[in-house]
Every structure is written in structure tokens, then in C-alpha cells.
């Protein structure tokens, strides 16, 4: 295999750092950059060895960095659902404008291949069937039902509970958070760029990513890190709703492997793939597995809820397996148990993301 020169954005981040290690290990030449945003890395953070400080909104800097680059692996993003609507300008600036600027720089430099870090959040509430086996868009969950502990999605026509189904890549994109809106926008910009330039885009829709060097408990952390932080503090993990909400947890080592597979597959046009384990697990099971492995207090199921939360979203791994040759190697049961004692990132975020 001929080595590929890769511009990797977000290279100092949780996922980006693992992608950098995997790409280098596979023999690729990596140009690693990161903006080192204080909201993610803490105030005054310095780039790790081999990573250059660069902002994806800086067109001249990107154009220079892209000299001789074969493919861009775009991991840089403000992550998390957003604490409140005041976070919206930061998501739009770093994620939407940042991606548009990167695509413009790629056009100027002649680079025609993009691997885009997308997310399961683009699917919104997920995919559901009614009792007749028909796919149905669920009714919005009502505050009075949530207060009463009724959490399952229902048929808007009959009010009957719905059964979750695997989300496939052709499922509708219905963002429900600031981060989700930004990820849909990134995919749309990338698709438009591919059509206009003849370039290729592989969008990797990560499901619930966890693993070594995940950031500790912040308002923007994933639930696995929040549970782990509670255990470290001597507290029980606090599980929202009834704990039976279902997800697909994928280890960061597998996410990194999916990026390597996407670069080496070099697919034409625009393609999107679920990056997932293919093994559904409930949030309650995640908390219980972590607590048992850590030796901490049993989880507390609180019945609390957040209005924008999704009840069930579980991915179909088939397309990535068939077209990228990617199959997750670390299943949630073993990976989450090991995560109980994995090293985490200690940097304290310096406030919310800024424009």
C-alpha cells in the first residue's frame, strides 16, 4: 500500500488523537492540526508533540497546510448537544463555517478527498415500527407523560407504544440539538462540495463513542464519562428515565479503525456509514457494568429526563461492513467493563464554547 498524506483536523481531541495513532500505525503521513479550544482542552493548553495549532476557519493557513495532501480527515468540531441556545453561535462558527472554510481551502489546493466525522445525532429520534410492522415517525414526547414516568415513543395516530428498529444510512435526517444541526449542515456542505468539484466524501456517523482518554465529566461529555466520573467521586451513577433507553456504544479504537478503512477504501462520490458496534445496550446496563467493574455503588435510576433526549437509537452496521470492510472488534460488554479503569483526560474545560 502506498502511504497517503493526510491532513487530520482535531488531532489533539479524544477521537482525533486515536485516529492519528491509527493512521500513523498504518503507515500514513499525517499532518496533525488542532485549534486547542479552551472549552475542550482547558485554558492555556499547548499542542501535543507533532500537532500544530490551526483553526479550520483560517482559510490562508489551511490552504498552506493542504499543500501535497491527498485526503482530509476532518475530526475538528465543537461537540455535545449544547447546554442551551446561547451555545448556537459557537456550533455554527466552528462546525458549519469551519467545514465550509475547509472545503473552500480544499478546492483552492486541489485536494479532492474528505473523510468527515459525522454522528448518530443526525437521525434525530431514531427509527420505529408500529404493531403492524409499519415504519412510523413517533409523536413528540409530552412533558406530562415524562413527568408520569411514561418514556416510550408512541404512534401519533393510535397512541400505542412503538418498537425501535435499526437506523440505516438512508433514514431521514432530523436533528434535535445544536450539535445535530451542525452535523447535518456539515454533511450537506460536503455533499454540495462533492457535486460541484467531483470530489469524494465519506461521512462516518459515529454512535456513542467511549474509551481511553475520554474527557472527564463536563456539560459536553458523553454519558459513559459522566458515569465514570461519578464512580471516581464515590457517588453512584445517576441514570435518567428508567434506564431502559437503548444505544449502540462503539469503542474509540474501532472508530479510529473505521477512519483508516475509509481512507484506504477511497470510495467515489458521497457516502455515509454508521460506525457502531452492532450490539445494542441500555443506558442502565452501561451504568451497571461500569459500577460492577469499578467496584462502586450501584446506579440510581432517577426518573429524571431532558426534553430533547432520544429514547432509542440503534444502528445497522451492515453497510460499513460491506463497503468499507469495517467491523467493530470491541463489543460493549467487554469494552465498557474495561472503561471503568481506562485513563481519562484531566484538562478542565474553561467555560462553554466561544465563537
Amino acid at each position: 500500500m502506498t502511504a497517503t498524506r493526510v491532513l487530520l483536523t482535531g488531532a489533539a481531541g479524544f477521537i482525533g488523537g486515536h485516529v492519528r495513532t491509527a493512521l500513523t500505525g498504518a503507515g500514513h503521513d499525517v499532518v496533525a492540526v488542532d485549534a486547542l479550544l479552551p472549552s475542550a482542552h482547558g485554558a492555556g493548553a499547548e499542542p501535543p508533540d507533532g500537532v500544530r495549532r490551526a483553526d479550520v476557519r483560517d482559510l490562508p493557513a489551511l490552504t498552506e497546510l493542504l499543500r501535497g495532501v491527498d485526503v482530509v480527515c476532518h475530526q475538528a468540531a465543537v461537540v455535545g448537544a449544547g447546554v442551551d441556545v446561547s451555545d448556537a453561535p459557537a456550533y455554527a462558527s466552528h462546525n458549519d463555517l469551519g467545514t465550509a472554510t475547509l472545503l473552500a481551502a480544499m478546492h483552492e489546493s486541489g485536494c479532492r478527498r474528505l473523510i468527515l466525522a459525522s454522528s448518530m445525532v443526525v437521525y434525530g429520534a431514531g427509527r420505529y415500527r408500529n404493531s403492524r410492522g409499519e415504519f412510523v415517525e413517533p409523536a413528540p414526547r409530552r412533558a406530562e407523560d415524562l413527568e408520569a414516568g411514561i418514556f416510550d415513543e408512541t404512534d401519533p395516530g393510535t397512541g400505542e407504544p412503538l418498537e425501535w428498529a435499526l437506523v440505516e444510512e438512508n433514514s431521514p435526517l432530523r436533528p434535535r440539538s445544536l450539535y445535530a444541526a451542525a452535523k447535518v449542515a456539515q454533511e450537506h456542505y460536503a455533499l454540495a462540495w462533492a457535486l460541484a468539484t467531483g470530489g469524494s466524501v465519506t461521512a462516518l456517523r459515529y454512535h456513542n463513542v467511549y474509551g481511553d482518554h475520554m474527557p472527564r465529566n463536563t456539560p459536553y461529555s458523553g454519558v459513559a464519562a459522566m458515569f465514570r466520573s461519578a464512580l471516581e467521586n464515590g457517588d453512584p451513577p445517576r441514570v435518567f428515565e428508567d434506564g431502559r433507553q437503548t444505544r449502540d456504544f462503539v469503542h474509540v479504537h474501532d472508530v479510529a479503525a473505521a477512519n483508516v478503512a475509509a481512507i484506504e477504501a477511497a470510495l467515489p462520490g458521497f457516502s455515509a456509514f454508521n460506525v457502531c458496534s452492532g450490539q445494542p445496550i441500555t443506558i442502565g446496563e452501561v451504568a451497571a457494568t461500569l459500577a460492577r467493574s469499578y467496584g462502586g455503588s450501584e446506579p440510581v435510576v432517577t426518573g429524571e429526563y431532558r426534553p430533547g433526549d432520544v429514547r432509542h437509537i440503534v444502528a445497522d452496521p451492515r453497510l460499513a461492513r460491506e463497503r468499507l470492510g469495517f467491523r467493530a472488534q470491541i463489543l460493549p460488554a467487554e469494552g465498557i467493563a474495561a472503561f471503568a479503569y481506562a485513563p481519562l483526560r484531566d484538562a478542565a474545560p474553561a467555560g462553554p464554547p466561544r465563537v
Side-chain angles (χ1 to χ4, degrees):
M1 182 197 70
T2 304
T4 299
R5 187 167 175 83
V6 182
L7 176 64
L8 173 63
T9 70
F14 164 48
I15 295 175
H18 286 278
V19 171
R20 180 187 176 203
T21 298
L23 288 173
T24 302
H28 299 293
D29 180 16
V30 179
V31 179
V33 301
D34 200 294
L36 280 298
L37 298 179
S39 61
H41 297 273
E46 293 297 324
D49 288 345
V51 177
R52 310 181 200 183
R53 189 187 297 270
D55 191 318
V56 291
R57 299 168 298 177
D58 185 341
L59 181 60
L62 281 179
T63 303
E64 181 64 27
L65 286 165
L66 280 162
R67 292 183 185 275
V69 165
D70 302 301
V71 56
V72 174
C73 189
H74 185 32
Q75 307 294 320
V78 172
V79 301
V83 172
D84 57 46
V85 176
S86 64
D87 288 339
Y91 282 81
S93 178
H94 291 284
N95 298 0
D96 301 23
L97 176 60
T99 299
T101 304
L102 173 62
L103 293 168
M106 291 176 68
H107 176 63
E108 291 294 325
S109 68
C111 183
R112 292 289 180 267
R113 292 180 57 203
L114 174 67
I115 310 301
L116 175 65
S118 188
S119 172
M120 57 173 267
V121 297
V122 301
Y123 298 121
R127 197 175 187 215
Y128 297 86
R129 287 191 184 94
N130 62 19
S131 58
R132 297 182 298 279
E134 302 162 334
F135 289 109
V136 175
E137 176 68 16
R141 296 202 293 176
R142 303 185 308 169
E144 53 266 39
D145 289 338
L146 297 172
E147 286 286 348
I150 301 170
F151 301 115
D152 284 323
E153 301 282 9
T154 58
D155 187 320
T158 66
E160 295 177 349
L162 297 174
E163 180 182 73
W164 63 262
L166 297 177
V167 288
E168 299 175 345
E169 287 81 355
N170 61 359
S171 299
L173 307 186
R174 294 192 174 98
R176 293 163 58 101
S177 69
L178 298 176
Y179 179 59
K183 284 296 168 186
V184 171
Q186 285 182 309
E187 287 199 20
H188 286 171
Y189 277 115
L191 172 59
W193 170 86
L195 293 172
T197 65
S200 70
V201 177
T202 301
L204 301 177
R205 293 173 179 165
Y206 305 156
H207 284 252
N208 290 69
V209 185
Y210 69 99
D212 303 0
H213 308 299
M214 194 174 189
R216 292 182 186 276
N217 190 19
T218 80
Y220 304 92
S221 289
V223 69
M226 293 179 179
F227 291 161
R228 166 68 186 273
S229 295
L231 289 164
E232 287 183 338
N233 292 334
D235 299 322
R238 294 178 59 81
V239 180
F240 279 15
E241 301 188 11
D242 58 6
R244 292 197 288 271
Q245 57 271 47
T246 312
R247 299 289 188 274
D248 188 309
F249 278 72
V250 59
H251 198 279
V252 70
H253 290 170
D254 284 322
V255 171
N259 277 271
V260 175
I263 286 172
E264 296 178 354
L267 298 177
F270 181 95
S271 304
F273 298 97
N274 289 322
V275 175
C276 59
S277 71
Q279 299 288 319
I281 188 170
T282 68
I283 298 297
E285 289 170 332
V286 171
T289 300
L290 281 171
R292 185 167 55 249
S293 184
Y294 191 83
S297 302
E298 290 188 6
V300 174
V301 178
T302 67
E304 298 173 23
Y305 64 90
R306 291 174 294 195
D309 276 357
V310 172
R311 181 60 174 168
H312 305 291
I313 183 162
V314 182
D316 188 337
R318 178 185 53 82
L319 195 63
R321 183 171 63 245
E322 292 177 355
R323 298 197 59 202
L324 294 180
F326 166 75
R327 184 194 298 267
Q329 300 300 306
I330 302 173
L331 299 184
E334 62 187 78
I336 290 168
F339 181 65
Y341 44 86
L344 301 183
R345 178 185 294 174
D346 290 321
R354 303 295 182 189
V355 176

